[in-house]
Amino acid sequence: MGGTTLVLIELGLVFLGLGILGRLAARIGMSPVPLYLLGGLAFGNGGLIEFASISEFSHIASEIGVVLLLLMLGLEYTARELATGLRQSWQAGVVDLLLNFLPGAVLALILGWGGIGALVLGGVTYISSSGIAAKVLTDLGRLGNRETPVVLSILVLEDLAMAAYLPVLTTVLAGASFLGGLQAVGAALLAVSAVLFLAIRYGQRITAWIHSPEQETFLLKLIGVALLVAGLASAMQVSAAVGAFLLGIAISGATAESAVRVLAPLRDIFAAMFFVVFGLNTDPASIPPVLVWTIVLGVLTAGTKIATGWWAARQAGIGRWGRLRAGSALIARGEFSIVIAGLAVASGAIVAELAAVVTAYVMLMAVTGPIATRFAEPAVRRISRQPEAEPAS
Amino acid sequence: MDVEETPLPGIGLRREIVLDNGRRVGIVIHRDGQTELIISRLDDPDACLASVPMSVEEAATLGGLLGGPKLVAQLSEEHSELPGVSTRQFPVTEGSPFSGHALGEARIRTRSGASVVAIVREGQVMPSPAPSDTMKPGDLLIVVGTPDGLDAAAKILHGG
């Protein structure tokens, strides 16, 4: 068989497999991310079958996947929402960062993975999956709950923190000195504030410029600008993903909504590929030895997220059941933990065990997070013998 | 009445009022235009007892139903100085014989002596409707007349 033939067959099998796994996930109402990781584990290095000929395509596809993931994340928010969120809940953001970055960072240091390992694993445990959390809150009918804005604003701050964190991470991974790292932090913060300012000021103009009445030209312009901005950001040592995220923030209103509509299917394909590639590059045999540490980390960071949500909800004057609900809604980790680990793995600057821990950790948290969100309150009510009561009014 | 407005970043906007009994009742407006009716629990006002997704049309109809009594109360007050004249509201349902027909076809005024003074549709009041205006399912007819006349009008609207 020729090269192209083999690539087509292998790609076909991978996408078909992902489709079936995704269907399965939808049926039991969970995020497909852990299943995509499993799929990648099965077809990669050390898995059941090794698909070698798709590595070139899947590498580029996964890069595009990250750009689209972050672009769509940016589209979800307006610059104004981010600025308001930053002003109103920065304290919760700081508590969130301290409580959830430290467990990952400390474990990485204990296991001897050094400063870079700590920076990576801290980021992985810090960031909740806004995708999973928002979906679970919608599905459980909690959008009307009083604690929900607290949860959402923490998610907003985390996503905003990503915009500062990713460029720092990429610089450090590239082997820059401490001074270089500081410069990167400065450049990133400057870029983020400049874009927030420009987006509030001139967002309408950027939006109008990208907007196009025909879907085809709109999609082409959007993808073109996104890849260009991502590439330029990457050339300037700011992560490509951050460029896409900031572009997403600058696009607003009806254009952002139609952008989400036309981009969603593309994002689904390329992002799925991104998760598969991450799984492909992880040797399944490397997971069992780190499983105990992963579970310890999982339990610990579930606890710290509950503490974060509890604290933030209490600040907002919410009762204790609401505090528990807010905390449990933050437990799920997902796409962006993998984005962080993916960047680290691609740079080759971290040990293989770290990738194994992240794979297992995200699979664990993406599955147990939504379950905890659903059952934390009923479970605690049962244990503390305080059944729900809804007397007629 | 104070309407509290809470932005839900990434999702949309919540508007709600707090009732005298402490319950919060309101709507969540999603970015894509979908509306959700929310009612908070009594024992835990932070949480929701129900959150009901609704289409734009369903939400507007419910708004009309909820807004109707206030309009009727206003009209009744205006007519309270006139002894023997009262105001009542009649919903037009899917099964009403005149649903989809022009107001004139029911000949309510001729047959009962009561007058349709307004139609509430999708939360909007259409005062002084013309005989050519159609009655749609979900509409609320505001009718003014003597009690007997109103009973007769009810019979016409339900039975034809």
Side-chain angles (χ1 to χ4, degrees), chain A residues 108-132:
Chain A
L109 291 176
I110 290 175
L111 295 178
W113 295 337
I116 296 180
L119 185 65
V120 172
L121 200 56
V124 167
T125 55
Y126 162 60
I127 187 144
S128 303
S129 167
S130 39
I132 296 178

Side-chain angles (χ1 to χ4, degrees), chain A residues 119 160-174 176 180-181 183-189 191-192 233 236-243 245-246 343:
Chain A
L119 185 65
L160 195 56
M162 283 278 280
Y165 169 83
L166 285 181
V168 175
L169 182 72
T170 41
T171 323
V172 172
L173 287 173
Q183 274 173 351
V185 177
L189 287 179
V192 172
M236 283 158 52
Q237 298 293 315
V238 179
S239 155
V242 173
F245 175 64
L246 294 177
L343 287 172

Side-chain angles (χ1 to χ4, degrees), chain B residues 32-54:
Chain B
D32 57 10
Q34 213 212 356
T35 311
E36 217 171 282
L37 172 73
I38 54 151
I39 302 163
S40 76
R41 302 177 60 93
L42 257 189
D43 58 338
D44 179 0
D46 297 329
C48 275
L49 182 66
S51 71
V52 188
M54 292 185 157

